[in-house]
Amino acid sequence: MITKLHLPPPLPSLSSSLNPTKTSQQPPPAGLLFRQKLLHLQTLNVNPHKVLNQNPDFRSTPLASLISLEDYFLSLGLSRPALGRILDMHPKLLTSNIHSDVQPIIQFLLHEVLIPSGDLPKSITRCPRLLVTDVETQLRPAFKFLKELGLVGTRRINCQTTLLLVSSVERTLKPKIEFLKSLGFSDEAVENMVIRSPGLLTFSVENNLVPKVEFLAEEMNGDLEEIKKFPQYFSFSLEKKIKPRYRVLVEHGLKLPLSKMLTVSDGEFDARLIEMRLRLAERKR
């Protein structure tokens, strides 16, 4: 009778131990990777549903690309919370190419507009739309137009006014210039107004400029020359500040130049009003 020998299982070969099996080399399931991307968006406070609705291409974007994009923006000085707000506002950025889409914009801001690198995060957070606007068709033409208006030297575009660069020259900037000229102001006067108050170019003609000019001319019986001296007038709320303050002055038979009427706080305005009423009472004695 032959006794069967029970041999131990064969040892794995050296080649198989150095080269893991095909099963161990398989990447994680696509569903798991997709979930990881969505979870990463949530850590940035970016709404995944909004992203998928507005940028379907994000579905096929590798997580590594998303992390590289995040690292790039953080290297510019943006904080993670600020980056999250920007990406939530413009989901298109999540599938942008750093080298061909984003870097040309950053280089334009740094080397043509001459925004200091330390101010770059302020420019971007103040106007995230810069990052999804084409340099050749929009940013550079707007920059050229603004320079011709006089926004150069110490008054050049800065981190507070880079938002003007995303405005269309033909549809947004020029109509506002033409409206100011229609009030009788010379080219030089309009340029000086814009230099002193660049925000003028961000206001709607129909919803801001026209109503405020009409109120000044018709109810206040004011001189439009006041606007030339104080173009910041257009930056104040007509309903919340201009009308209430003007009407309380009229109620007490008082008058102030636009700048003194509008640039002080509510407390300072009330104190000035009391002082003027006391002076008026003393004169009547």
Side-chain angles (χ1 to χ4, degrees):
M1 183 175 178
I2 301 174
T3 305
K4 292 183 179 180
L5 297 175
H6 297 283
L7 298 174
L11 294 172
S13 66
L14 181 60
S15 60
S16 64
S17 64
L18 292 177
N19 297 295
T21 62
K22 205 177 237 186
T23 304
S24 65
Q25 287 182 336
Q26 287 180 349
L32 177 61
L33 292 175
F34 184 68
R35 179 170 172 75
Q36 287 176 341
K37 286 195 300 183
L38 299 186
L39 289 173
H40 193 80
L41 288 182
Q42 290 178 328
T43 67
L44 287 163
N45 287 323
V46 177
N47 185 333
H49 299 290
K50 180 179 178 182
V51 170
L52 295 174
N53 286 332
Q54 295 188 16
N55 188 358
D57 290 339
F58 178 74
R59 291 179 180 274
S60 58
T61 298
L63 177 60
S65 297
L66 174 58
I67 293 174
S68 295
L69 186 71
E70 178 184 345
D71 289 342
Y72 175 74
F73 281 122
L74 295 180
S75 75
L76 297 178
L78 285 169
S79 68
R80 206 163 186 268
L83 176 59
R85 288 192 294 272
I86 291 169
L87 295 175
D88 190 67
M89 193 180 303
H90 296 288
K92 176 184 175 183
L93 275 171
L94 289 163
T95 54
S96 60
N97 182 287
I98 294 174
H99 300 290
S100 61
D101 298 329
V102 182
Q103 281 189 343
I105 296 169
I106 300 302
Q107 295 302 311
F108 170 75
L109 293 173
L110 290 174
H111 302 300
E112 292 188 46
V113 185
L114 300 180
I115 299 296
S117 58
D119 287 345
L120 190 61
K122 297 177 188 176
S123 293
I124 294 171
T125 53
R126 187 174 176 82
C127 184
R129 194 173 148 201
L130 284 165
L131 296 175
V132 292
T133 303
D134 186 72
V135 173
E136 295 301 328
T137 61
Q138 173 56 52
L139 298 180
R140 190 169 283 122
F143 183 50
K144 179 183 178 183
F145 180 80
L146 293 167
K147 286 195 297 182
E148 291 171 352
L149 273 178
L151 294 175
V152 294
T154 57
R155 292 169 171 171
R156 68 177 182 268
I157 295 293
N158 56 43
C159 63
Q160 301 296 321
T161 52
T162 41
L163 57 88
L164 295 174
L165 296 173
V166 302
S167 300
S168 165
V169 173
E170 297 299 328
R171 296 190 306 273
T172 304
L173 300 177
K174 282 186 176 180
K176 290 160 189 176
I177 298 298
E178 294 305 318
F179 172 76
L180 293 172
K181 289 179 181 179
S182 74
L183 299 179
F185 298 131
S186 65
D187 290 355
E188 183 180 1
V190 170
E191 289 175 6
N192 287 332
M193 290 169 69
V194 170
I195 289 170
R196 293 178 62 189
S197 182
L200 267 174
L201 298 178
T202 66
F203 303 139
S204 163
V205 173
E206 294 77 14
N207 300 325
N208 187 308
L209 305 185
V210 170
K212 289 175 182 176
V213 167
E214 289 178 348
F215 183 77
L216 176 67
E218 296 171 11
E219 184 164 341
M220 296 177 68
N221 294 316
D223 189 341
L224 292 181
E225 285 293 308
E226 281 199 86
I227 296 177
K228 185 167 73 173
K229 296 176 184 176
F230 185 64
Q232 295 88 343
Y233 167 73
F234 292 108
S235 65
F236 294 94
S237 170
L238 183 59
E239 299 300 328
K240 294 180 180 179
K241 184 161 281 190
I242 298 173
K243 286 183 178 181
R245 290 195 176 184
Y246 171 72
R247 286 169 179 168
V248 76
L249 287 171
V250 171
E251 181 183 341
H252 294 96
L254 301 171
K255 190 174 183 181
L256 280 173
L258 290 177
S259 59
K260 292 185 178 180
M261 182 179 84
L262 298 171
T263 55
V264 295
S265 67
D266 289 340
E268 290 172 314
F269 178 77
D270 291 340
R272 185 170 290 177
L273 182 64
I274 292 171
E275 182 182 345
M276 292 173 68
R277 289 177 64 190
L278 289 173
R279 287 180 182 176
L280 184 62
E282 287 176 1
R283 289 174 190 167
K284 290 182 179 179
R285 289 178 184 176

